[in-house]
Amino acid sequence: MNWLSNLLPPRIRSFVGEQREVPDNLWQKCTSCEAMLFHRDLEENLNVCYHCGHHLRITVAERLKMLFDDGKYEKFPVPDVAQDPLKFKDRKRYADRIKEAQAKTGLKDAITIAKGKMGGLDVVIAAFNFSYMGGSMGAAVGEGIVLAAETAVKNKAAFIAIPSSGGARMQEGMISLMQMPRSIIAVEMVKDEGLPYIVVLTDPTTGGVSASFAMVGDIQIAEPGSMIGFAGRRVIEETVRETLPDNFQTAEYLLEHGMIDMVVPRKDMKATLVRMIGILMKQPYDAGGEVNGKNGKAAKNGKNGQGSKAANVKASDKVETAVHENMAGQKTSGKKAQDQVRAARRSVSNMKSSPEESGEVAANPKEAVTS
Amino acid sequence: MALLDFEKPILELEGKIAELRHVNSDSEVNIAEEITRMQSKADRLLSQTYSKLTAAQKVQVARHQERPHFLDYINGMIEDFTPLAGDRNFAEDHALIGGLGRFRDQSCIIMGHEKGHDTQSRLKHNFGMARPEGYRKAQRLMKMAQQFQLPIITLVDTAGAYPGVGAEERGQSEAIAKSIETCLCTKTPIISVVIGEGGSGGAIAIAVADRVLMLEHSIYSVISPEGCASILWRSGDFAKDAATALKLTAQDLYELKLIDGIIEEPVGGAHRKKEETIESVASHIEKALKELTPWDGEKLVKSRRQKFLQAGRDL
C-alpha cells in the first residue's frame, strides 16, 4: 500500500490501480528440514515436504478434500452449545478468544463433521482444526463428536476421527474434562452397531484428547512424525529432570512401543482406510491407489531427498505387512473373503504402481471392486 | 499439622486458650469464663472461615496432608479388605490401590488413589499419581466386578496421572481412555467420591460413575490451577485467579450439574475430624448404593451414559 491508496476511498482506489501485492506465501519453509518449498509443488505433494518427507500441518478442508471421493462431502454444522458457561477470563476473556478464533479460521469451533463416500464406502469423519485454539476440546467439539457418531450409526457408515489437538479446553473447566467420557460414549454408539471406528492421529494429539476417544479406535493409524502423547514434553522433562530422546512421543515411537497399528504417509492414507473399512464391513470397495493431489496428479514422495524416500518406503512396508497378516487370517473363510483378499492384494499393487496406473483404476472403479 | 495460612488467626487463638488452660490448672484465679469465651470465639472464627473458603483456599484444604486418604477410608469403612495387585502385564502400581472387601455387609470392589501420609509412604505411592499399570489394574478390577456382579466404589484423590517417560512409553493415554471406556461399559453400579483432589484425566479415569459425589472442600478440575496459570497467565503466580476461574469447587460443580451431590465435612475441614468424615462418606455411599440396588446391568449402563451425555447440555 502506498500513501495515495491510503488516502483514496476504496471505490476510487480501484481506478487508480492499486499496486498489486506480491503474495508473500509463494514459498514456505519446511518446519523440519527448513528447505524452501514452492507452494504449488507443496500443494501437489499433499503438503508433505518433497525434500525430507515431513508432513506439514494441513487444514481440515484440505484433508477432507484428499480423503473423500472426488473431494466431495456433506458438512454438518457444529451443534450449538452454551458458549463460555464459566464466564472464564484470564488475561483475555474466553468469549473474545472464541470470536478471534472464529474470525481467524472462519469456523464455528475446532471440529468439522463431514459425511461422504470413500472408495465407494459410506464414511463419517470428525476432524480437528488445530488453528482453532489449538484444536482444544470443549463442549462444542464433544457435541460434534456425538453428532458425527450418531450420523455414522444412522447411515451405517464407518466413523473416522482425525484429532489434531493440544487437549482439553481449559477455559471450559470441568465441562471440557466431561468431554472425555462424552466422546467415548459417542464411540461406543458406533461400536455397539458393529461399525468400524478408526482413528487417524495427526500432529499433535495430546492431553485429554489423546486420553479419550483418540485412543480407543478399533484401528489406530498415525501420520508420520506426528507428536502423540499424554503429558507435554516440557512437563515430563521438569518431572524426571532428564533429556528425552528426539523421537519421544512421535508416531514412530508409538508404533515401536505397540501403541498404534501403523504409521501411514499422507499419500497412502485414503487407500489404507478404504481397504481396511471395506474388509471390516465386508463391502466392495475401490482402494484406487494413491491419493490424488491438485489437478488429479498423484503425489510424489521425496523426489529430491534420499532420506525421505527411505522413511516413506519403510512406512508403506508396514502397511503391507498389515495387509498380508489380514490375508493370512482370511485364507480359510470362503470365496467372498478370498475375493476381498484378491482386492486387497490388488490395492497393494496399486499402491506400488505408478501414478498413471492408479489413475486408471480410479477412473475405472469396477475393476477394483469385488464381491 | 501442616499450617494453612488462612487458619493462622484461629490457630493463634487456640494456642492462647491452651496457654490459659495451663495457667488455670496451677493458679487460683478463676479464668474459666474467659476460656469459654475465647473458645466460642475460636469456634465461631473456624466455622466462619470454613463457610466462605475461596476456591484457592479449598485447593489448599483439598491437598491437606492430614486429610483422610484412601487407606484411612479402607480402615474406617471396609471390612475384610483384600488388596489385589498388578495389571497382569507389567507391574503393580501403588498409587492406585484396589481390591475386594465388604461395605456395610455387602461384597464390593473398591479402588482409589493413595497419596501416602509421610515421606516414605508418599514415595511408595508416588504421591497418588498413577501410571498406566494403575489404570490397567482398575480396568481389570471393574471387569471382575461385572463378572461377579459386585458394586464398585472408587475414591478419587490425585493430582493427576504421572507424567513420566515410562508412563508415556507404556501408553498413559490409552490406559486412561480404556479405563473411561470400561467405566462406561461395566454392568454393575459405580459410585465415585472425590475425597481430596480430582486431578484431570487421572481422576476421571475411575470416576465415570452412576453417582459422583464430592466432599465439601474437595476439588475437581481439568488442570491444576498452577498449570492453568502458567499456560494462560504465563505465570504460576496467578494460580489463585486460575482456581477461581476454573470453577473447581464442589459447590461450583454441583451448580453446573456436573456432580450428583456434596458430602458435608466437619467444621474446620476433614483433616480436623477424620473419623467423622469417613463415617459421613460411608453413609452417603450406602444411601447411593441403596438407590441403585437391585440393578439391571443393561439399564444401568444406558442411564450412566445418558447422564454423562446430558452433562453440560442444560447450561
Side-chain angles (χ1 to χ4, degrees), chain A residues 143 182 188 191 210 231 249, chain B residues 168 173 181 232 309 313:
Chain A
E143 210 62 65
R182 294 184 84 239
E188 297 309 306
K191 287 185 177 178
S210 79
Q249 294 184 325
Chain B
E168 292 289 327
S173 293
E181 190 179 38
L232 290 181
L309 265 188
R313 269 186 177 165

Side-chain angles (χ1 to χ4, degrees), chain A residues 70-90:
Chain A
D70 306 320
K72 272 191 246 160
Y73 54 89
E74 183 190 344
K75 231 167 103 174
F76 292 79
V78 177
D80 285 319
V81 294
Q83 265 197 358
D84 193 12
L86 306 187
K87 305 269 168 282
F88 195 96
K89 183 172 175 285
D90 46 88

Side-chain angles (χ1 to χ4, degrees), chain A residues 122-296:
Chain A
D122 287 316
V123 165
V124 174
I125 295 182
F128 282 63
N129 212 322
F130 189 75
S131 50
Y132 189 108
M133 294 186 79
S136 55
M137 177 164 71
V141 168
E143 210 62 65
I145 294 172
V146 172
L147 173 66
E150 284 169 348
T151 310
V153 169
K154 208 188 287 169
N155 293 280
K156 297 197 178 0
F159 181 28
I160 302 174
I162 311 181
S164 174
S165 167
R169 191 171 298 167
M170 278 173 286
Q171 292 91 341
E172 291 187 22
M174 268 299 286
I175 292 166
S176 67
L177 194 73
M178 285 292 161
Q179 305 315 315
M180 292 173 70
R182 294 184 84 239
S183 62
I184 294 180
I185 293 168
V187 168
E188 297 309 306
M189 294 177 192
V190 176
K191 287 185 177 178
D192 286 350
E193 292 299 312
L195 299 163
Y197 168 54
I198 300 180
V199 183
V200 177
L201 300 157
T202 67
D203 188 58
T205 303
T206 58
V209 167
S210 79
S212 62
F213 71 94
M215 276 294 164
V216 293
D218 296 314
I219 293 168
Q220 298 280 137
I221 310 177
E223 272 200 338
S226 306
M227 219 276 274
I228 304 153
F230 177 66
R233 200 186 165 95
R234 200 153 35 96
V235 176
I236 297 170
E237 271 171 342
E238 277 165 19
T239 313
V240 299
R241 288 173 209 285
E242 56 183 273
T243 336
L244 305 170
D246 275 346
N247 73 339
F248 187 62
Q249 294 184 325
T250 59
E252 293 73 15
Y253 176 92
L254 264 78
L255 183 71
E256 206 174 289
H257 286 90
M259 297 318 301
I260 55 175
D261 292 287
M262 58 188 86
V263 176
V264 178
R266 205 168 275 165
K267 72 172 182 69
D268 299 332
M269 191 59 83
K270 180 176 177 179
T272 310
L273 286 167
V274 167
R275 190 174 60 243
M276 290 192 301
I277 294 170
I279 293 171
L280 286 172
M281 295 183 80
K282 306 181 193 87
Q283 280 179 15
Y285 58 93
D286 170 14
E290 300 185 342
V291 181
N292 286 331
K294 210 194 166 193
N295 307 326

